[in-house]
């Protein structure tokens, strides 16, 4: 069996990845099983650089706040702001402190230098403005959408004034109160004002849609596209806050579902624009149902990747990253009967694995599931192998 498995592994290069896919997918996603390791992000940078240069991908999207990502996109496409400012204000989750993310932004900016606008590589965050402990105020997205429309559409068509929005939104700290994650009673998401804002957000997005022919001519497709992002984000945040105030047993399932749905909508919008490369946790990009335990409760929901795959079919490609060790987090050599253990026995440090050939080589016996001693790392689920177009395997992840 070892010989067969060895035959499924190839160098981590764009050409090897494309051979695993029936055609170039519109969205090609690379997952990671843990966050915060620059070794994995350096590998992402190398592979994505090749895919941009050899396969013509036009956007790189990562699991970061979609509104903050606009700061990075402005910098890489037109030089707005310094690299330091962009790393500070263009990433959520603390990703801006990563040397590999800094190198990615620097490289995209250099790649774009001297290219015509239509050929520039774009950057996007595709997560909602959500952190683990809470969600942003919908103010930024709602007021940006209203401002875009107010400058270009007859005032009589607007569902409300900027002052009305301001009054209903109130102070931002009402929305960002961290206590609301544990106590629904602390959330403003189901107040009368929040309910009214949901209707206004819907009316503003409908007006944007209805005025599309005029707006694309009056501004540009890019500006209109950005306004659509504001609309999606405002609606998603208001929906998220609504379920933050929920007291039913389904509350946490609804919250994780809304987050992945926001990610999926952002990815589908990027796919409309052209071929894009995507990087996030395996759990957000997989085609299978996602599961986790939170506060002792099992949660199950469809990930962004599952939703996008259902929409795009073969136009969505997904490579899961698996790894052998993260010794500085207590993740040691994988047991030999797990997928990671079988791949760890191969000679090279990193490679891309042809999953269909691997499942053939494994035959009817499913490998054992690896159990991680550290909560921050998610091993591959052997039952999900068929849902991956390939596996990128990294033998050892040293401390960044």
């Amino acid at each position: 069996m070892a010989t067969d498995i060895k035959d499924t592994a190839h160098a981590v290069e764009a050409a090897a990845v494309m051979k695993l896919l029936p055609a170039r997918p519109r969205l090609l996603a690379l997952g990671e099983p843990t966050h915060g390791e620059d070794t994995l992000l350096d590998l992402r940078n190398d592979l994505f650089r090749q895919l941009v240069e050899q396969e013509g991908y036009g956007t790189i999207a990562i699991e970061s706040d979609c509104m903050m990502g606009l700061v990075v996109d402005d910098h890489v496409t037109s030089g707005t702001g310094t690299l330091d400012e962009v790393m500070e204000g263009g990433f959520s989750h603390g990703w801006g402190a990563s040397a590999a993310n800094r190198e990615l932004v620097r490289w995209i900016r250099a790649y774009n230098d001297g290219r015509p606008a239509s050929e520039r590589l774009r950057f996007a965050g595709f997560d909602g403005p959500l952190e683990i402990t809470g969600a942003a105020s919908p103010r930024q997205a709602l007021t940006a959408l209203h401002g875009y429309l107010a400058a270009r559409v007859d005032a009589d068509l607007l569902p409300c004034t900027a002052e009305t929005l301001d009054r209903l939104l109130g102070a931002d700290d009402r929305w960002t109160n961290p206590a609301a994650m544990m106590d629904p009673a602390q959330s403003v998401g189901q107040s009368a004002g929040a309910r009214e804002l949901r209707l206004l957000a819907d009316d503003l997005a409908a007006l944007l849609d209805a005025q599309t022919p005029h707006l694309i001519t009056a501004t540009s497709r890019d500006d209109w596209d950005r306004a659509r992002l504001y609309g999606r984000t405002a609606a998603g945040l208001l929906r998220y806050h609504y379920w933050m105030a929920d007291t039913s047993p389904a509350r946490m399932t609804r919250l994780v579902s809304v987050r992945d749905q926001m990610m999926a909508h952002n990815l589908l919008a990027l796919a409309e624009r052209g071929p894009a490369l995507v990087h996030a946790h395996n759990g957000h990009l997989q085609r299978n149902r996602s599961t986790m335990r939170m506060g002792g409760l099992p949660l199950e929901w469809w990930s962004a990747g599952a939703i996008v795959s259902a929409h795009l079919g073969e136009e969505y490609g997904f490579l899961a990253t698996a790894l052998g060790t993260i010794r500085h987090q207590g993740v040691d050599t994988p047991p030999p009967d797990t997928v990671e253990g079988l791949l760890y026995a191969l000679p090279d440090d990193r490679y891309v694995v042809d999953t269909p050939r691997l499942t053939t080589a494994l035959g009817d016996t499913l490998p054992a599931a690896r159990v991680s001693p550290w909560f921050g790392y998610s091993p591959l689920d052997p039952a999900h192998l068929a849902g991956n177009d390939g596996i990128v395997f990294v033998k050892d992840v040293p401390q960044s």
Side-chain angles (χ1 to χ4, degrees):
M1 190 208 286
T3 335
D4 289 344
I5 285 181
K6 190 169 181 296
D7 294 343
T8 70
H10 311 280
V12 184
E13 289 167 355
V17 168
M18 298 319 284
K19 278 184 184 151
L20 304 177
L21 302 157
R24 182 187 73 172
R26 189 164 274 270
L27 286 182
L28 178 52
L30 173 66
E32 61 176 6
T34 183
H35 283 321
E37 298 294 342
D38 269 3
T39 301
L40 301 181
L41 300 185
D42 287 336
L43 180 143
R44 169 203 70 189
N45 290 355
D46 290 344
L47 184 58
F48 280 9
R49 181 176 51 75
Q50 291 180 37
L51 287 161
V52 166
E53 290 172 347
Q54 296 168 30
E55 298 295 332
Y57 279 92
T59 300
I60 290 177
I62 75 166
E63 184 188 334
S64 181
D65 179 334
C66 57
M67 296 290 286
M68 293 176 90
L70 299 174
V71 171
V72 186
D73 191 47
D74 285 343
H75 173 74
V76 297
T77 54
S78 51
T80 311
T82 66
L83 183 54
D84 283 345
E85 287 165 351
V86 168
M87 298 315 294
E88 176 83 17
F91 292 85
S92 59
H93 303 81
W95 297 158
S98 152
N101 282 336
R102 187 184 185 88
E103 177 51 30
L104 177 68
V105 175
R106 192 207 59 74
W107 175 74
I108 300 175
R109 178 78 197 108
Y111 176 88
N112 285 338
D113 198 30
R115 286 178 193 269
S118 61
E119 290 172 26
R120 283 176 207 152
L121 180 59
R122 306 288 299 271
F123 177 92
F126 71 92
D127 201 352
L130 308 166
E131 294 284 355
I132 305 303
T133 51
S137 159
R139 173 181 296 280
Q140 185 192 359
L142 262 181
T143 53
L145 174 59
H146 187 278
Y148 173 83
L149 289 166
R152 296 165 184 95
V153 169
D154 188 330
D156 293 345
L157 294 174
L158 292 166
C160 65
T161 62
E163 291 70 29
T164 301
L165 280 186
D166 192 52
R167 175 177 58 76
L168 290 169
L169 285 160
D172 284 349
D173 56 12
R174 297 166 63 232
W175 299 92
T176 56
N177 176 10
M181 184 43 94
M182 302 317 291
D183 178 7
Q186 301 283 324
S187 170
V188 295
Q190 293 190 17
S191 63
R195 288 169 189 265
E196 193 172 341
L197 284 168
R198 284 186 83 180
L199 292 172
L200 291 173
D202 183 62
D203 281 340
L204 286 166
L207 180 59
L208 177 72
D209 190 41
Q211 293 288 323
T212 294
H214 160 63
L215 293 168
I216 287 179
T217 317
T219 60
S220 68
R221 185 169 284 274
D222 266 358
D223 287 345
W224 167 81
D225 206 32
R226 189 169 279 207
R228 286 170 75 214
L229 171 66
Y230 299 148
R232 287 194 303 277
T233 305
L237 279 174
L238 286 162
R239 189 177 298 123
Y240 194 89
H241 281 289
Y242 181 89
W243 292 116
M244 289 261 276
D246 182 42
T247 53
S248 81
R251 177 179 184 259
M252 286 312 301
T253 302
R254 286 210 172 96
L255 290 177
V256 291
S257 298
V258 169
R259 181 185 174 198
D260 268 284
Q261 189 181 31
M262 287 177 78
M263 288 184 172
H265 289 164
N266 285 333
L267 289 175
L268 290 167
L270 290 174
E272 280 178 37
R273 196 166 75 190
L277 299 166
V278 182
H279 187 259
H281 196 282
N282 286 335
H284 290 304
L285 299 175
Q286 66 186 29
R287 289 187 173 95
N288 301 84
R289 221 163 149 71
S290 296
T291 55
M292 73 185 285
R293 292 189 79 78
M294 197 173 266
L297 291 172
L299 308 181
E300 275 196 21
W301 72 102
W302 292 107
S303 73
I307 296 169
V308 167
S309 181
H311 280 275
L312 296 184
E314 283 190 351
E315 292 269 57
Y316 179 69
F318 170 52
L319 305 172
T321 297
L323 49 85
T325 72
I326 327 173
R327 296 193 200 277
H328 55 280
Q329 299 290 7
V331 180
D332 286 322
T333 311
D337 59 344
T338 60
V339 177
E340 290 88 347
L342 292 163
L343 297 175
Y344 196 79
L346 299 182
D348 295 323
D349 287 339
R350 52 185 60 181
Y351 34 86
V352 63
V353 178
D354 182 331
T355 321
R357 288 189 66 188
L358 176 65
T359 42
T360 307
L362 293 170
D364 297 335
T365 6
L366 212 56
R370 186 182 191 185
V371 178
S372 172
W374 175 51
F375 75 93
Y377 156 63
S378 310
L380 275 186
D381 183 338
H384 290 175
L385 279 178
N388 307 330
D389 294 301
I391 297 167
V392 172
F393 186 76
V394 178
K395 200 168 233 180
D396 300 293
V397 177
Q399 194 149 9
S400 295

